[in-house]
Structure formats: C-alpha cells, structure tokens
Amino acid sequence: MGNGFTGGNSAVPVQVTRIDHSDVVAIAAGDFHALLLDSQARAYAWGANEFLQLGPALPTGSGLTTPLYMGLASVLAIDAGARHSLAGRHDALYLVGQNRLGQLAPP
C-alpha cells in the first residue's frame, strides 16, 4: 500500500510514506502496483513486480512496499494497466511489464 507494510487489506485510506505529498502531480494503479509522478518529472513505483511492470531497474517479485524511483526522468505522464506501466516523455513513450497480448507494442 506504499506505507512500508505488506499483508492484509485496509478498509480505510492509508497514507503513502517516504514521499513529499505536496510534490505529487499524478498517480496511476494497476492490478497489484501503483505509480506516482512528482513535480520534478520523476516516476516512482511500488507493489508487485512479477511482470517487470515497475521496470527492470527495480527488484522483481511482490514486495516493494514504498515508492522507489523507476529510473526515468523528464516524464510528462504516467498510466498503468493490469500488469504493465507507461511513462511518456516529450521524445518517447516507455512501456514495461507483461506483453502477453501485445499491449507493449512491437519494438
């Protein structure tokens, strides 16, 4: 949930930790992961990374409990699908994650 803990569900909103909340300009969520874009145009991710939907620079598996920098700067927009993530810059669109149905498009 972005607060440093795993397991269980929450019926009440949980605050994401380790992020300057006044700096957040966009958020997106997939099935088991979430993305955040800050005002410095940096993309962060947390949650499951079984399909590399958080990017290859972050650990795989399902246990990133706080937002980590995805390694992309100058990001203008983010979005998330069930098991993939998108980050758009002025010069390119980056897609990571599961590509079982061609959702990441051909190289």
Side-chain angles (χ1 to χ4, degrees), residues 44-103:
Y44 293 83
W46 66 98
N49 197 24
E50 298 172 61
F51 302 98
L52 297 177
Q53 65 266 45
L54 306 184
L58 298 182
T60 58
S62 57
L64 296 177
T65 59
T66 56
L68 295 176
Y69 178 59
M70 292 178 72
L72 283 175
S74 302
V75 176
L76 302 173
I78 56 170
D79 205 350
R83 295 183 175 121
H84 61 281
S85 300
L86 303 88
R89 298 187 344 181
H90 75 281
D91 60 346
L93 177 62
Y94 295 89
L95 298 97
V96 292
Q98 188 179 55
N99 193 34
R100 192 178 91 194
L101 301 173
Q103 59 269 50

Side-chain angles (χ1 to χ4, degrees), residues 1-50:
M1 296 190 111
N3 63 352
F5 299 99
T6 60
N9 300 317
S10 179
V12 297
V14 175
Q15 183 174 339
V16 175
T17 59
R18 298 188 185 171
I19 279 293
D20 177 1
H21 296 91
S22 65
D23 207 28
V24 176
V25 296
I27 56 173
D31 278 358
F32 300 102
H33 70 292
L35 307 174
L36 178 149
L37 181 63
D38 72 10
S39 64
Q40 302 299 310
R42 297 175 297 211
Y44 293 83
W46 66 98
N49 197 24
E50 298 172 61

